[in-house]
Every structure is written in C-alpha cells, then in structure tokens.
Amino acid sequence: QGLAGPARRRGARSPSSTEAECRRSVAFDCTAQPAACCPDWMAGLPDTLPLSRLSIPGTHDSLSLFGGRRLRCQSWGLEAQLAAGVRFLDIRCKLARGELHVYHLCTFQRASLREVLRRTLRFLHAHPGEAVLMRIKEELPIFSRPGFAAQLHRCLLEEGRDRVWCREEVPTLGQARGKIVVLEALAQEVLGIPYEQLSISDTWNVLSLERKWARARRHLERAASGDPATMYLTFCSGNGLFTCPEEVARFVNPHCYQHLQRRRGQPVRWGVVIMDFPGAGLLRLIVESNAARAGRRSTAAPGTPTVPSWHPHSRGDRRRSRHSSAHCPHQCPSGRTLLPAPHLCRRMSVPAEQKRASSSCRAPGSL
C-alpha cells in the first residue's frame, strides 16, 4: 500500500489500463465499441468518382462475432462497423429451411441475410450520401445448393427494392449513393459485380505472418499504381493451423497502418482494404487517403468536411451495362445468366444526359 501512491505519481499504469491498451490501439481493436466515428465520409466526394478509384475500409467475415477464438473475426456489431466508416461487408450465407442464414464455417452467426440487408439499408436511409459494398458468398458449399441463387435473388428483390445495385459494372459514387452494391461469385447467374473479375489478394491460410503481410503489402502497392478502372481488394485477414484471426490481425494491422502512414496526405488509391479487428487510426488513414484526391460534392450537407479539389477522368462515367434489359434471362458475354425481375421496369441504356435530367427515375441496375 505504501508503494501504491509513489508508483501512481511516477506514471505507473494500472493492470486495467494495460489490458485496455492490449485490446485497443490505432491499428487493432477487439473491444465491443469502436473509438472511430465516421458515418458520412463519402458524402463530401463527387458523384462522378467511380467506386474503383476509392480507398474503402472493409471487414472480413463481417458478422463473425461468435465461435470462439478460432472463428471470431470481429468484435463490433454491424451498425458499429458502419458508423466507424466501414463500407465493405463480407457476408457468408447458407441456405437452410428456405432462408439464407449467416455462417462462419459451421457456426451460425445469429443473423439472416434479410436482417443484414434491412439493417444496412436502415443505415443508408439515415446516411444517404454513403454506399456499402457487400460481398455475398455461399459458405462452404461442397456442391452449390441448387436454390441458393434463386433465394438470393428473391431476398435482394424483396428487401432491397430499388436500393441494391446488381449490375456487372462498377458504378460511380453518384449511382451508388444510398445503395448496397452487390459483389457475388455465382457460377451462372448475374446478381452484381462478378467477384472473380476483380483484383483480389486473399491468402487466408496463414503459415507465416511475415509472408502474409508481404503479400498484402505488394497488393496494396499494386492497387496504388494499377488501372483506376479496376477494383482492388486486399484481405489483411487470415487464419491458420497455428494461429487465429485475432493473432493475424495483431501482427498485420500495425504493419498496414505503418505502410499507409508513410504516404499520408498523398493522392493514393489503396482500393478496398479488408481487415479483422481494425483500429480507429487504421480506418482513418484509409478514409483520409480519399480527401487528397477528390473535390467536395456540390450537394454535400452543411458541415461536411471539405477536401481538396480533384477532377477524375471521365472514362469510368461513360461505361454502359452489357445488358439491354432485365426482364428476360439471357446470356452475358461471360456466359452467365441474368436472373429475371418480372415486376420491375428498368431502362438499362439511358443516355447519361437523360439520367441526370430525371432525378426521380430509379437508378439503372437497381433491384
């Protein structure tokens, strides 16, 4: 007891504060609530900016909150992730009893895809300047369930209505605001941007933490210097026989933070950076890298932070869908079939001038 006072006066840390620091840093956070709050960071960016030109923070196995140390990948719930600035969600589902339920391996994550869509769209309704990329994947199929694609289509149609982007092409931010942009990997049907056509680094089976980070770093640099029309996804997450998601994140996240910190303030496109247990500082670095490249959106709400002016090339804005209609199933150049939406009316090839003139029309490619 006699040493307690002098120790505190000399700045000694209590066990509780040391434990808190171990659980939360600028790059890593396994606490229940994020230290970051950045719910409207897209609102100040110009509508003409394609999503492929952005640096976007994301989470791997976004709803993997249960299953113990070997399976748990996140500590924040869905709403907390979105409020912290996360704009890429990795949702993995299994078809069971006619519904799509969220799983990580064989562990049910106490949510359905319908719930995830509703909660995400509720956030977007409150923050209409934002867009959320959502990878939807069938979890661990030995053989793909025959009804998975049809149920996914039904779920997107019934829950998403006109607020889900399901075209193959990457939209501009103006086209995507207030919407979920679907990334999918279905074998035949088209229900969003084809995941396999993106540039992806996902060495999930980690045998060496150093090699895992080296591959992620190389892909981040490839994104920084690559084709701006290509979407890059870098998974900083991983698991392995002798490690677990939390241990990988404790090693990789600080290295990622230091790597991005070296080019802070420069106009760098890092692509989609996907993490387990991201820290507030790491999220902030990814988000702030957009400010050096993009001008303020003219329709941004009062109080939106201003960023330096930047004029993107117009090539991405002139891209058109490869589909002429969504009423009838037909073959895409890739050989996949576009699923029909029987009671929807969409115009797929409206000139850009006409799109801008009619703000009341539904965005093309939306369900």
Side-chain angles (χ1 to χ4, degrees):
Q1 183 178 359
L3 293 175
R8 280 196 294 268
R9 286 194 294 270
R10 288 194 298 269
R13 296 175 181 175
S14 67
S16 59
S17 64
T18 303
E19 180 183 355
E21 290 178 3
C22 185
R23 299 182 64 207
R24 172 180 285 170
S25 68
V26 293
F28 173 88
D29 191 341
C30 66
T31 63
Q33 291 295 327
C37 183
C38 195
D40 295 291
W41 66 266
M42 287 179 164
L45 303 178
D47 287 342
T48 53
L49 195 63
L51 294 187
S52 60
R53 292 179 181 266
L54 294 178
S55 300
I56 298 175
T59 50
H60 154 259
D61 248 311
S62 303
L63 268 68
S64 183
L65 301 168
F66 309 101
R69 187 175 175 85
R70 297 295 305 174
L71 291 183
R72 184 169 173 258
C73 298
Q74 309 299 332
S75 61
W76 306 337
L78 176 61
E79 287 79 6
Q81 291 182 35
L82 294 171
V86 169
R87 293 295 177 270
F88 170 93
L89 300 174
D90 180 22
I91 308 299
R92 308 184 180 206
C93 305
K94 288 185 179 183
L95 181 60
R97 298 179 299 277
E99 284 294 334
L100 296 177
H101 298 280
V102 180
Y103 274 80
H104 185 189
L105 298 180
C106 295
T107 301
F108 176 51
Q109 297 301 319
R110 309 180 192 178
S112 69
L113 179 61
R114 288 183 182 274
E115 294 171 21
V116 173
L117 292 172
R118 289 171 188 169
R119 291 160 65 187
T120 304
L121 290 171
R122 194 178 303 128
F123 171 84
L124 290 171
H125 180 75
H127 305 274
E130 306 301 292
V132 174
L133 281 72
M134 186 179 292
R135 178 201 183 193
I136 303 176
K137 174 183 181 290
E138 186 174 7
E139 181 73 339
L140 281 184
I142 299 176
F143 300 101
S144 183
R145 294 286 299 273
F148 183 87
Q151 182 60 31
L152 175 57
H153 176 254
R154 186 179 301 112
C155 194
L156 293 173
L157 191 65
E158 293 173 357
E159 301 298 334
R161 303 186 185 279
D162 61 342
R163 300 177 63 196
V164 178
W165 179 272
C166 286
R167 286 172 67 178
E168 282 193 85
E169 65 186 44
V170 177
T172 63
L173 188 50
Q175 292 171 315
R177 291 192 196 277
K179 296 183 176 64
I180 295 171
V181 179
V182 176
L183 282 64
E184 49 80 14
L186 300 175
Q188 298 296 327
E189 294 81 10
V190 173
L191 284 176
I193 300 171
Y195 184 76
E196 71 277 3
Q197 294 181 15
L198 309 177
S199 179
I200 301 166
S201 172
D202 185 11
T203 51
W204 63 268
N205 188 14
V206 177
L207 300 177
S208 164
L209 293 172
E210 290 79 6
R211 285 199 294 271
K212 166 64 186 180
W213 164 239
R215 291 183 179 182
R217 184 187 66 241
R218 285 196 296 270
H219 198 257
L220 287 170
E221 287 304 315
R222 197 172 299 133
S225 60
D227 180 5
T230 299
M231 186 174 286
Y232 290 80
L233 278 66
T234 303
F235 283 82
C236 296
S237 55
N239 206 342
L241 183 61
F242 303 107
T243 186
C244 67
E246 182 178 326
E247 291 179 1
V248 174
R250 284 185 182 276
F251 181 88
V252 174
N253 288 9
H255 281 78
C256 186
Y257 177 85
Q258 293 168 10
H259 184 72
L260 271 58
Q261 176 74 13
R262 294 188 189 101
R263 299 178 66 176
R264 187 173 190 173
Q266 299 178 22
V268 184
R269 186 274 305 260
W270 297 116
V272 185
V273 186
I274 304 163
M275 303 157 283
D276 289 338
F277 305 105
L282 182 50
L283 293 174
R284 183 169 57 250
L285 280 180
I286 298 168
V287 168
E288 286 180 352
S289 68
N290 297 294
R293 303 188 51 151
R296 185 179 181 183
R297 182 188 176 202
S298 59
T299 58
T304 300
T306 58
V307 289
S309 178
W310 177 71
H311 303 284
H313 298 297
S314 58
R315 179 176 60 179
D317 301 335
R318 295 196 299 267
R319 299 177 69 187
R320 291 288 177 266
S321 172
R322 295 196 288 267
H323 312 305
S324 60
S325 173
H327 284 280
C328 301
H330 57 280
Q331 291 298 316
C332 305
S334 61
R336 306 195 312 165
T337 301
L338 182 68
L339 286 182
H343 64 278
L344 297 179
C345 180
R346 289 178 289 182
R347 302 179 64 180
M348 304 300 292
S349 300
V350 181
E353 294 78 6
Q354 185 175 343
K355 291 181 193 174
R356 287 192 294 267
S358 178
S359 59
S360 62
C361 294
R362 179 176 298 154
S366 299
L367 284 178

